[in-house]
Amino acid sequence: MTAEKLSSNELHEALKNLGGWNLFEEGQSLTKTYQFDNFAQAFSFMTQVALYAEKVNHHPEWTNIYNKVQVRLFTHDCDGVSAKDIALALYMDQSAFYYLNPCTSNQSDLVF
């Protein structure tokens, strides 16, 4: 089953729930940079996301330089952003939360 590209309205609605994510290439992809305290946290985050991405068979395009992880999400099948990308972005934000806010249980103060 081929993923469907989100409409402009669907994409803008989804972005309301994705803090720090930006549209790139005229809405063809989503981007975000996570900044952690150190390399170990960045690498741990990437490992956690990699295991999930393999499980759902949807993989991010990303780079890591020391404590920063730059992410670009898009779906090749539809040549744009699909619900798969939104789900992966939400998972990434959830995963990063625990590294970036270790003593916070209330997610209303998210820092990304």
Side-chain angles (χ1 to χ4, degrees):
M1 183 172 152
T2 302
E4 289 186 32
K5 183 176 177 177
L6 296 178
S7 71
S8 180
N9 287 341
E10 291 170 324
L11 191 50
H12 286 287
E13 279 300 309
L15 281 172
K16 291 178 183 178
N17 297 315
L18 296 172
W21 287 90
N22 298 298
L23 289 174
F24 187 68
E25 298 175 331
E26 298 180 19
Q28 297 302 306
S29 63
L30 297 174
T31 62
K32 183 170 183 171
T33 299
Y34 294 94
Q35 184 168 336
F36 299 92
D37 287 341
N38 53 51
F39 175 76
Q41 285 184 356
F43 194 81
S44 294
F45 163 77
M46 291 179 76
T47 301
Q48 182 176 350
V49 172
L51 293 170
Y52 174 81
E54 190 66 18
K55 183 177 170 181
V56 299
N57 195 31
H58 190 62
H59 307 87
E61 181 178 295
W62 56 8
T63 59
N64 166 237
I65 300 173
Y66 182 58
N67 66 335
K68 291 181 183 159
V69 178
Q70 294 178 313
V71 181
R72 180 173 169 245
L73 299 179
F74 63 99
T75 303
H76 293 279
D77 292 347
C78 68
D79 197 29
V81 178
S82 74
K84 289 181 174 185
D85 300 300
I86 302 304
L88 185 54
L90 287 168
Y91 182 83
M92 293 176 99
D93 283 352
Q94 254 183 344
S95 298
F97 175 80
Y98 296 105
Y99 295 101
L100 300 172
N101 302 280
C103 296
T104 304
S105 60
N106 179 352
Q107 293 191 11
S108 64
D109 293 19
L110 286 175
V111 176
F112 291 106

